[in-house]
Amino acid sequence: MSYIKGIDISNNNGSIDFSRVADDGVKYVYVKATEGATFKDSAMKTFYNQCKANNLKVGAYHFLVGSSTPEAQAQNFYGKIKDYDWDLIPMMDVETNFSGLSNYVRRFISTFKQLSPLELGIYSYTSFIDYLTDAEETIKDMPFWEANYNDDPWNLHSNFFTNRVGHQYTENGSISGISEGCDVNLFTEGVLLDNAIIAGQWIIQNGKWWYKHINGSYTKNGWEKIDGLWYLFDNEGWMLYDWKKEGNNWYYLGRSDDGSMKSGWLLQDNKWYYLGDLNDGSIKTGWQKINDKWYYFDSNGVMQTGWISDNGKDYCLYSNGSMIHDCEMYGYRFDSNGVATKLS
């Protein structure tokens, strides 16, 4: 699954040159719309128009607070965004703890669903998720945009959310056209309103599968998330399987009776591959840090073991693929980066 560079902004970011933002590779922009029951961001309309003028996909978010009812806040949010043609799913920003937080979250979601047909997502910090456990059953399958300033895009631990669609990995990013550091994100296409999950059923014809939505439509020449799993469909709408190349990335889509994008470790023909997380799935090459251990994969994605040379330096990898470091072994000293130096 490919990632798309995005930013999120508010009136606090001041004047922005969106043509330069677009030239810097940004594709998706989230703008603040509202906060609480009365605040409306004065910059939203200008930001929206300038995003559209520069072919940037744009979405809106609401900042949830505990000082006014969630019903009034949902109405404020919907009232602000309802007359615009959004590209990205609207987001509820939950990062302030207060008494009854989980109840507020559930009530905001319920009210928004009554007001709008748009799918709603949720934004929060990794460190804040524990405050939301009482609302887990309501929010676990919602599109989740996670903030974790580790400067390591999509290196995130699992949590109860099943549909992570974005990682805000820094709050001090440098983006052309914005005078000061700003929030920078990598999103999946799961934030696109066009990719919002639509109920339907699997149908098999002549040994091939397709997915029929309740409105009769079906996905062609693209990805769709169904029951928490990603599937790739060809230009006629048939589900693809086995190894497939999409863009510059290779994916493994299982057998003909499965088709779901695989993630994590994969063993095939006595060779190990690593396919990223549930929202990535692309085969990894080169050095990869997995669960705090370093591994090396060749240009075909095959995990290496034993001695390897990379950029003129020698390394040694255990039989499980993990890099040897910070020790002496086999007549060599391995430093903290795994570089081997022969002992005299």
Side-chain angles (χ1 to χ4, degrees), residues 89-90 112 116-121 141-143 163 190 192-193 195-197:
I89 58 176
F112 188 83
S116 173
L118 299 179
E119 181 178 19
L120 182 68
D141 295 323
M142 293 176 63
N163 186 20
L192 290 171
L193 280 169
N195 280 2
I197 296 170

Side-chain angles (χ1 to χ4, degrees), residues 166-224:
H167 177 196
Q168 186 184 88
Y169 59 90
T170 181
E171 61 179 340
N172 294 306
S174 177
I175 298 293
S176 298
I178 301 179
S179 59
E180 297 182 356
C182 70
D183 298 336
V184 183
N185 312 263
L186 283 185
F187 294 104
T188 72
E189 291 183 345
V191 295
L192 290 171
L193 280 169
D194 287 346
N195 280 2
I197 296 170
I198 305 173
Q201 62 176 330
W202 285 102
I203 297 175
I204 187 169
Q205 288 181 272
N206 301 320
K208 297 188 291 186
W209 289 94
W210 63 290
Y211 191 74
K212 182 179 180 180
H213 302 138
I214 56 173
N215 61 7
S217 66
Y218 56 96
T219 296
K220 294 187 293 184
N221 198 31
W223 293 92
E224 181 173 356

Side-chain angles (χ1 to χ4, degrees), residues 24 30 39 50 169 192 244 270 332 339:
D24 202 7
Y30 268 99
F39 177 81
Q50 292 177 354
Y169 59 90
L192 290 171
K244 297 297 176 186
N270 294 317
Y332 288 82
V339 177

Side-chain angles (χ1 to χ4, degrees), residues 1 202 209 222-224 229-234 238-246 249-263 266 268 275 277-278 280-283:
M1 193 63 51
W202 285 102
W209 289 94
W223 293 92
E224 181 173 356
L229 300 173
W230 284 102
Y231 296 84
L232 182 62
F233 297 88
D234 68 15
W238 299 113
M239 180 196 78
L240 297 172
Y241 62 93
D242 205 355
W243 287 101
K244 297 297 176 186
K245 189 176 184 181
E246 176 76 358
N249 297 317
W250 282 93
Y251 301 87
Y252 183 63
L253 306 176
R255 304 179 306 273
S256 60
D257 60 349
D258 178 2
S260 62
M261 183 191 76
K262 305 309 175 192
S263 60
L266 174 70
Q268 272 199 341
L275 306 176
D277 66 21
L278 289 171
D280 179 359
S282 61
I283 195 170

Side-chain angles (χ1 to χ4, degrees), residues 71-320:
E71 290 81 9
Q73 294 188 57
Q75 290 164 1
N76 185 32
F77 186 37
Y78 175 68
K80 180 68 172 175
I81 69 173
K82 65 182 178 65
D83 295 323
Y84 294 81
D85 183 19
W86 300 101
D87 304 294
L88 311 178
I89 58 176
M91 289 284 178
M92 171 178 55
D93 179 348
V94 186
E95 56 181 276
T96 302
N97 192 26
F98 50 84
S99 178
L101 173 63
S102 291
N103 181 47
Y104 261 59
V105 167
R106 287 190 292 264
R107 288 163 57 192
F108 183 99
I109 294 168
S110 176
T111 302
F112 188 83
K113 285 182 177 179
Q114 294 172 32
L115 295 168
S116 173
L118 299 179
E119 181 178 19
L120 182 68
I122 185 169
Y123 163 97
S124 194
Y125 288 83
T126 300
S127 58
F128 197 83
I129 294 174
D130 286 346
Y131 295 116
L132 299 172
T133 53
D134 287 346
E136 177 177 346
E137 287 305 308
T138 300
I139 65 177
K140 65 180 182 180
D141 295 323
M142 293 176 63
F144 179 52
W145 173 15
E146 185 168 351
N148 184 317
Y149 300 145
N150 58 6
D151 268 330
D152 192 1
W154 284 85
N155 183 10
L156 297 167
H157 295 295
S158 297
N159 50 55
F160 66 71
F161 284 100
T162 64
N163 186 20
R164 187 187 282 133
V165 295
H167 177 196
Q168 186 184 88
Y169 59 90
T170 181
E171 61 179 340
N172 294 306
S174 177
I175 298 293
S176 298
I178 301 179
S179 59
E180 297 182 356
C182 70
D183 298 336
V184 183
N185 312 263
L186 283 185
F187 294 104
T188 72
E189 291 183 345
V191 295
L192 290 171
L193 280 169
D194 287 346
N195 280 2
I197 296 170
I198 305 173
Q201 62 176 330
W202 285 102
I203 297 175
I204 187 169
Q205 288 181 272
N206 301 320
K208 297 188 291 186
W209 289 94
W210 63 290
Y211 191 74
K212 182 179 180 180
H213 302 138
I214 56 173
N215 61 7
S217 66
Y218 56 96
T219 296
K220 294 187 293 184
N221 198 31
W223 293 92
E224 181 173 356
K225 195 168 193 178
I226 303 169
D227 296 329
L229 300 173
W230 284 102
Y231 296 84
L232 182 62
F233 297 88
D234 68 15
N235 58 8
E236 294 182 338
W238 299 113
M239 180 196 78
L240 297 172
Y241 62 93
D242 205 355
W243 287 101
K244 297 297 176 186
K245 189 176 184 181
E246 176 76 358
N248 295 320
N249 297 317
W250 282 93
Y251 301 87
Y252 183 63
L253 306 176
R255 304 179 306 273
S256 60
D257 60 349
D258 178 2
S260 62
M261 183 191 76
K262 305 309 175 192
S263 60
W265 288 102
L266 174 70
L267 178 63
Q268 272 199 341
D269 300 325
N270 294 317
K271 298 175 181 178
W272 283 101
Y273 303 83
Y274 190 73
L275 306 176
D277 66 21
L278 289 171
N279 282 309
D280 179 359
S282 61
I283 195 170
K284 303 305 177 188
T285 61
W287 288 105
Q288 299 291 328
K289 192 174 186 180
I290 305 168
N291 294 331
D292 294 324
K293 295 182 179 180
W294 284 99
Y295 299 81
Y296 188 82
F297 300 85
D298 69 14
S299 59
N300 293 315
V302 178
M303 183 193 79
Q304 302 297 289
T305 60
W307 287 96
I308 65 168
S309 181
D310 183 48
N311 290 326
K313 297 178 181 178
D314 294 321
Y315 303 82
C316 192
L317 310 169
Y318 289 114
S319 60
N320 68 1

